Amino acid sequence: MEIIIKTDYEAACEEAARIILRAWKKRKSLVLGLATGRTPLGLYEKLISLHKKGEMDFSNVIAFSLDEYFGLDETHPQSFARYMDDHLYRHINIRPENIHRLSGRPAEIEEHCRAYERKIRSVGGIDIQVLGIGKNGHIGFNEPGSSLTSRTRLKSLTRETVEANAPLFKEEGEVPRFSLTMGIGTILESRMILLLASGEDKADAVARAAEGPLTAFVPASVLQLHPQAKCILDEEAASRLALKDYYRWTYENKEKFLARLT
Ligand code: PGA
């Protein structure tokens, strides 16, 4: 796992956008896996701004959502479909047919999940998967204890997740108890993974994921197995890493080395 420590959230998002732009420039196309939540919002703003400045064209970009609440319509204000539309898709020139989502109301759950996996494979796999990290180390809705080889499936939400979401819904009965999520095995097949984390409240999860043992109790620790996983952090999220000076040093040297090549 490559650890990239930036001074603040803004700079971390800038770095993630720079990596995505660089990958897109090589082929003028890209398959992205995209996460929801608070963390990637700054990255999506940067991508929108790249598009508005004419630096990135999304007409050949294909996007897959990482997860969705089970039981919500696409139009529900708390659905991840709505989130992606509001925070990214409606501001860029991605083609509607290139937007792929997990449905919150699939006709047949298992078949829907299998079809999603088939769709990912049919476009050649995900080039870059964007991830956040939960305080408990989850990625997507792969909560602690999830199989490290899991595929896209229905997952129960933890009590903490359900309680944290409750204020966002008008009726208690509306609060989702389940989600559909890409599995950990699915995520690991992406060619590159960008995990973004910001803030002191993520520092413990980040340290356990990057420097702790590989364990299903910290699903993000599985990224230690991935050859191209980059963890982009602000200072607060990096604050509990034992080797943070070393990560800074290697990153600076790498940048200097790459600058000499270009
Ligand atoms: P957050 O969520 O970005 O809203 O903190 C991350 C996650 O739970 O995966």
Side-chain angles (χ1 to χ4, degrees), residues 36-40 131-135 138-141 196 201-202:
T36 54
R38 181 182 48 95
T39 313
L131 296 176
I133 182 170
K135 283 187 237 171
H138 74 201
I139 45 177
F141 273 125
L196 269 170
D201 62 339
K202 298 293 175 70

Side-chain angles (χ1 to χ4, degrees), residues 117-211:
E117 297 257 347
R118 282 198 299 272
K119 190 75 216 176
I120 293 173
R121 276 197 298 277
S122 76
V123 300
I126 291 174
D127 295 310
I128 300 183
Q129 174 66 55
V130 174
L131 296 176
I133 182 170
K135 283 187 237 171
N136 62 5
H138 74 201
I139 45 177
F141 273 125
N142 297 286
E143 301 283 16
S146 292
S147 157
L148 298 182
T149 58
S150 51
R151 310 304 305 186
T152 303
R153 69 211 183 290
L154 183 73
K155 272 295 286 175
S156 296
L157 301 178
T158 60
R159 190 192 293 270
E160 294 74 27
T161 305
V162 172
E163 285 170 5
N165 287 338
L168 302 171
F169 293 85
K170 286 197 201 104
E171 309 278 333
E172 210 217 308
E174 245 194 333
V175 186
R177 257 74 178 163
F178 298 92
S179 66
L180 293 186
T181 182
M182 280 187 205
I184 297 177
T186 322
I187 291 170
L188 279 180
E189 284 170 7
S190 311
R191 278 181 274 282
M192 181 190 285
I193 294 176
L194 294 185
L195 184 144
L196 269 170
S198 159
E200 170 67 31
D201 62 339
K202 298 293 175 70
D204 189 48
V206 165
R208 290 166 72 210
E211 295 179 337

Side-chain angles (χ1 to χ4, degrees), residues 27-261:
R27 291 187 283 120
K28 302 284 189 283
S29 68
L30 204 56
V31 182
L32 293 172
L34 297 173
T36 54
R38 181 182 48 95
T39 313
L41 288 173
L43 165 62
Y44 298 152
E45 278 172 23
K46 303 270 175 218
L47 294 179
I48 293 166
S49 146
L50 285 173
H51 172 64
K52 297 225 153 107
K53 285 190 279 182
E55 288 178 47
M56 189 166 172
D57 170 13
F58 286 80
S59 57
N60 287 327
V61 170
I62 299 175
F64 287 86
S65 295
L66 176 64
D67 46 17
E68 180 57 279
Y69 285 131
F70 180 73
L72 298 192
D73 285 324
E74 280 196 2
T75 52
H76 191 286
Q78 299 305 329
S79 75
F80 293 166
R82 190 63 190 272
Y83 169 106
M84 289 308 310
D85 285 343
D86 289 351
H87 296 293
L88 184 63
Y89 298 150
R90 76 163 61 149
H91 307 285
I92 57 176
N93 65 331
I94 190 165
R95 295 174 203 217
E97 64 271 27
N98 286 346
I99 296 174
H100 301 286
R101 327 175 189 262
L102 283 159
S103 167
R105 288 186 182 274
E108 211 282 305
I109 298 170
E110 284 183 21
E111 177 46 30
H112 180 66
C113 294
R114 278 196 297 269
Y116 202 62
E117 297 257 347
R118 282 198 299 272
K119 190 75 216 176
I120 293 173
R121 276 197 298 277
S122 76
V123 300
I126 291 174
D127 295 310
I128 300 183
Q129 174 66 55
V130 174
L131 296 176
I133 182 170
K135 283 187 237 171
N136 62 5
H138 74 201
I139 45 177
F141 273 125
N142 297 286
E143 301 283 16
S146 292
S147 157
L148 298 182
T149 58
S150 51
R151 310 304 305 186
T152 303
R153 69 211 183 290
L154 183 73
K155 272 295 286 175
S156 296
L157 301 178
T158 60
R159 190 192 293 270
E160 294 74 27
T161 305
V162 172
E163 285 170 5
N165 287 338
L168 302 171
F169 293 85
K170 286 197 201 104
E171 309 278 333
E172 210 217 308
E174 245 194 333
V175 186
R177 257 74 178 163
F178 298 92
S179 66
L180 293 186
T181 182
M182 280 187 205
I184 297 177
T186 322
I187 291 170
L188 279 180
E189 284 170 7
S190 311
R191 278 181 274 282
M192 181 190 285
I193 294 176
L194 294 185
L195 184 144
L196 269 170
S198 159
E200 170 67 31
D201 62 339
K202 298 293 175 70
D204 189 48
V206 165
R208 290 166 72 210
E211 295 179 337
L214 174 63
T215 167
F217 286 92
V218 184
S221 68
V222 78
L223 302 186
Q224 293 174 23
L225 291 174
H226 196 284
Q228 281 273 35
K230 297 177 193 289
C231 206
I232 308 177
L233 311 170
D234 62 11
E235 290 285 351
E236 288 79 20
S239 59
R240 289 194 207 145
L241 288 168
L243 297 182
K244 57 175 183 264
D245 292 337
Y246 166 70
Y247 304 135
R248 276 201 192 93
W249 191 78
T250 49
Y251 178 72
E252 279 162 23
N253 280 326
K254 186 176 144 192
E255 289 296 289
K256 280 183 205 148
F257 177 74
L258 289 176
R260 280 216 303 272
L261 292 181

